[in-house]
Amino acid sequence: MQRMFMRRTGLALLLMLAATALTFWLVTAAPGNVAALIAERAAGAGADGAMIQKIADDLGLNDPLPVRYVRWLGDALTGDFGVSIRTGKPMAEEFSARIPMTLTLLAGGGVLALTLSLVMGIAGAASNGGVVDRALHGMALVGASTPNFFVAALLVIVFSVWLGWVPTFGVSGFTSWLMPWFTIALFPASVLARVVRVNLQDTMSRPFATTGFAKGLTRRAVLLREALPNIAIPYMTTFGAQFTLMIIGAIVVERVFGLAGVGSFFIEAIRFRDFIGMQAILTLFVVFFVSVNLFVDLLAMLADPRLRRPRKA
Amino acid sequence: MKNWPWAILAPALLFVLIGLFAPLIMTHDPGAQDYGALLTGPSGAHWLGTDYLGRDMFSRIVGGARTSLVAMAFVLLAALAIGVVIGSFAGYVGGKTELVMISVIDIVLALPSLIIALALMGVFSGDNFTWMSDYWKMIVALTMAWWANYARMSRAVVVAELQQPYIEAARVMGASHLWIFTRHILPHVLGLVVVYASADAGALVLAIATLSFLGLGVAPPTPEWGQMLVDGMSYIEEYPSLVVIPGLALTAVVVSFNLLGEAFALQKVPRAVRGRFLTRKKVARAAEESARKEVEA
């Protein structure tokens, strides 16, 4: 088991390396840009070829790509992600200012998605084909199909413009977080509610559930005590995948509500051609995705001994 | 496909038809500005009113359908073609080549497709890519982000199909690799991938709108729903319809493709597919069971 853990962790680290190398290669595929942009920033329109050349030399932009990647990696491992071309501040500083905002968004959204999906899924399974079940199915379908920026816009129209309960812009206090949280939670909650619903129905038709009924347990008891623990693994796996996808929601939500998080920085970096900033944020994303997936896999392995056996290739 | 709910095709088909015949349906030029009729409500002349530049909302919605449809079709076809070729090649050849190709696919799939597309839009904004229009940049970026899923799926089908006895029989009878691949394996791959693509179309329409919403997709003169929505955000307090109309259009299209995907999933789909499709298979099994229960009751 320990060996499987180590193996899986090693693979994840390799994947991180490879993925950052890929993004590094992509982002630097527009050569000359970085030096020219920095020169432009420093000297306005007066930047000439010599100055651009000097900056390129100083930053080692003329070295071969592998050399640059290794140097970048060495810096990144010590927490140095370079200086943002757009803001002129070190990326490490930007990170410490912006990561808490995005993490608050993801954590709140994650908790909300978890709660909503479990409530919806269990209510659906309890109703089993009834009106509640069908209504929840419809809601989940619409929830999984509505673009998150439209969800955000609708929330603003109803709760800010019509009712005037929460400010349209920025965050101050708990209530103003509710709209951003709900916006990013709706899609994962809808998908996860389906997972809960379908898997619960699956387990309810297994022999052990029938045994539960035969013992005289009520439907509710079988559902909650016998069936529910069995959906933990598919639920966990899907939750992990959906949680990582919530970063896309975070990008959109940060734009709509004007939050200074990592996502809005990413979009600004792309628009400004801040390649250093882009690479830093992409690295952050890669680390986030790969480690969430790793964590979910390890949890699943802990919970289900069958997954611990090495698979035959 | 005997009991297949054909009616479920209708909404998606409607979107395709509107997109195809957009020039005939539009009542106005979607780019024409009328400063005499800024931000008006629905009327006989402008069925859905006008926006902040006096452009006809109905025509812009119809034009937006065309923009989405064309971009979606290009990306879907290109991603499908690239994915099928790479994936089935990897699966058929096997060995170290396969391992390397799978690794590349896994690396691309390490980030969500939309994030990759966003990063590529940034890369394409560099000086080396001025020869591409924004519209094509978006299509290329989305394609480069989207193929990997199809490649992984195709490979899985090929590997599973190669283990079937009839392939061995064909080989014994002296069939060439090309014959075996095109006659026996490719139909299985395409069968599955095309079904998946029809459900994936909704996700792609959403991705196109999201890119434009973030200002990194279709450039302004072209009517596009995500962009109409972000433009409308500035007028959300007085004229929420500017946001609600494109939002509803977008949601309706995505719902219709998701319905299609669900209908496909409820039928028997080919086996040997991992990941997202596994959950769909479970949906299928659950549906069969509930159908059986209904018959019994």
Side-chain angles (χ1 to χ4, degrees):
Chain A
M1 175 166 165
Q2 225 168 8
R3 264 188 59 210
M4 278 300 282
F5 265 57
M6 297 295 282
R7 205 181 114 82
R8 190 63 194 75
T9 312
L11 275 178
L13 286 176
L14 264 181
L15 187 59
M16 278 186 201
L17 267 185
T20 52
L22 180 75
T23 56
F24 191 81
W25 173 67
L26 269 181
V27 168
T28 49
N33 273 331
V34 177
L37 278 168
I38 295 174
E40 215 172 276
R41 241 198 111 72
D48 54 7
M51 185 173 176
I52 294 174
Q53 196 57 47
K54 188 176 177 310
I55 291 173
D57 284 342
D58 286 349
L59 288 175
L61 294 179
N62 295 326
D63 294 335
L65 203 58
V67 176
R68 289 171 59 193
Y69 175 69
V70 171
R71 188 168 48 215
W72 172 86
L73 188 67
D75 288 346
L77 286 176
T78 58
D80 177 9
F81 290 92
V83 176
S84 160
I85 304 175
R86 187 175 70 90
T87 62
K89 284 191 217 155
M91 279 310 296
E93 220 173 277
E94 296 284 358
F95 275 169
S96 55
R98 287 164 180 272
I99 288 177
M101 175 70 88
T102 305
L103 274 186
T104 316
L105 198 56
L106 289 179
V111 170
L112 198 57
L114 193 90
T115 328
L116 276 178
S117 65
L118 282 176
V119 170
M120 283 172 75
I122 294 172
S127 152
N128 196 20
V131 182
V132 178
D133 192 18
R134 268 175 282 166
L136 285 172
H137 184 185
M139 271 168 66
L141 179 70
V142 174
S145 308
T146 315
N148 37 28
F149 46 86
F150 186 42
V151 176
L154 285 178
L155 290 175
V156 167
I157 290 171
V158 174
F159 292 103
S160 300
V161 179
W162 289 354
L163 300 171
W165 288 354
V166 266
T168 44
F169 217 61
V171 278
S172 53
F174 182 76
T175 46
S176 59
W177 277 102
L178 291 176
M179 289 203 296
W181 279 342
F182 185 77
T183 307
I184 63 169
L186 183 62
F187 181 84
S190 307
V191 174
L192 285 164
R194 291 285 288 149
V195 171
V196 174
R197 172 75 188 88
V198 167
N199 282 296
L200 271 183
Q201 186 161 43
D202 209 34
T203 36
M204 286 297 274
S205 58
R206 298 257 197 90
F208 65 79
T210 316
T211 312
F213 285 121
K215 282 196 299 187
L217 290 176
T218 57
R219 188 175 161 75
R220 170 187 300 228
V222 176
L223 195 68
L224 295 181
R225 263 189 266 155
E226 313 274 339
L228 199 57
N230 276 287
I231 67 161
I233 288 171
Y235 184 82
M236 230 155 48
T237 322
T238 322
F239 185 82
Q242 289 300 321
F243 189 67
T244 56
L245 284 179
M246 270 168 66
I247 209 90
I248 293 172
I251 293 175
V252 168
V253 162
E254 285 174 16
R255 296 282 297 173
V256 175
F257 294 105
L259 311 179
V262 176
S264 55
F265 189 93
F266 184 55
I267 298 301
E268 288 305 317
I270 292 172
R271 287 191 152 178
F272 197 85
R273 294 200 255 153
D274 177 358
F275 295 114
I276 295 176
M278 262 172 77
Q279 172 65 17
I281 303 272
L282 282 172
T283 308
L284 191 69
F285 286 170
V286 168
V287 172
F288 174 70
F289 296 130
V290 177
S291 33
V292 169
N293 284 331
L294 173 69
F295 182 69
V296 169
D297 277 4
L298 294 185
L299 262 187
M301 276 159 73
L302 263 180
D304 188 348
R306 282 169 300 181
L307 297 172
R308 279 180 231 148
R309 278 187 224 131
R311 264 179 297 175
K312 273 181 242 162
Chain B
M1 302 291 271
K2 242 187 268 164
N3 302 320
W4 208 71
W6 287 101
I8 224 107
L9 263 176
L13 205 62
L14 185 70
F15 165 66
V16 172
L17 287 178
I18 290 177
L20 279 179
F21 297 106
L24 300 176
I25 301 169
M26 285 189 278
T27 53
H28 295 68
D29 173 358
Q33 305 175 0
D34 179 2
Y35 293 104
L38 299 183
L39 296 162
T40 58
S43 65
H46 299 288
W47 295 348
L48 292 176
T50 55
D51 70 359
Y52 61 104
L53 289 172
R55 294 176 292 194
D56 181 52
M57 282 295 278
F58 175 74
S59 304
R60 288 182 67 71
I61 289 290
V62 174
R66 190 186 182 84
T67 311
S68 294
L69 177 73
V70 173
M72 184 262 279
F74 268 122
V75 175
L76 214 51
L77 286 177
L80 200 149
I82 296 172
V84 166
V85 167
I86 292 185
S88 26
F89 183 78
Y92 198 91
V93 174
K96 281 199 179 118
T97 323
E98 184 185 17
L99 197 68
V100 170
M101 289 171 90
I102 292 176
S103 309
V104 172
I105 294 169
D106 277 346
I107 293 166
V108 175
L109 289 173
L111 279 169
S113 307
L114 196 68
I115 303 265
I116 298 181
L118 280 171
L120 285 170
M121 286 308 283
V123 172
F124 290 159
S125 69
D127 301 335
N128 299 357
F129 298 95
T130 42
W131 48 273
M132 267 198 286
S133 73
D134 281 356
Y135 189 65
W136 281 104
K137 280 178 186 170
M138 182 183 79
I139 287 175
V140 175
L142 281 170
T143 307
M144 286 172 73
W146 233 260
W147 64 272
N149 248 322
Y150 289 92
R152 184 163 69 171
M153 214 182 310
S154 310
R155 183 201 150 259
V157 178
V158 172
V159 168
E161 212 55 46
L162 276 178
Q163 286 165 355
Q164 300 284 329
Y166 75 89
I167 298 290
E168 206 172 330
R171 205 163 278 154
V172 170
M173 285 164 76
S176 68
H177 285 303
L178 189 70
W179 179 269
I180 291 178
F181 181 71
T182 51
R183 282 305 172 106
H184 295 305
I185 293 179
L186 197 59
H188 287 276
V189 176
L190 287 181
L192 178 77
V193 163
V194 168
V195 165
Y196 179 79
S198 63
D200 198 30
L204 207 47
V205 168
L206 209 54
I208 292 164
T210 306
L211 283 180
S212 303
F213 180 85
L214 294 169
L216 293 165
V218 180
T222 320
E224 205 285 330
W225 293 339
Q227 202 203 310
M228 288 172 74
L229 210 150
V230 74
D231 280 353
M233 286 300 275
S234 318
Y235 302 88
I236 197 166
E237 300 196 4
E238 290 87 8
Y239 305 97
S241 66
L242 293 187
V243 170
V244 174
I245 292 169
L248 283 180
L250 195 50
T251 309
V253 169
V254 182
V255 167
S256 57
F257 279 112
N258 282 350
L259 274 173
L260 197 64
E262 211 166 275
F264 273 130
L266 292 179
Q267 289 306 114
K268 281 210 173 93
V269 287
R271 274 172 300 156
V273 187
R274 293 181 287 178
R276 261 195 269 183
F277 241 87
L278 270 184
T279 51
R280 296 218 170 134
K281 259 180 70 188
K282 280 194 184 135
V283 178
R285 217 183 306 142
E288 270 168 30
E289 236 161 59
S290 65
R292 207 181 309 134
K293 268 176 208 151
E294 263 178 40
V295 172
E296 281 165 9

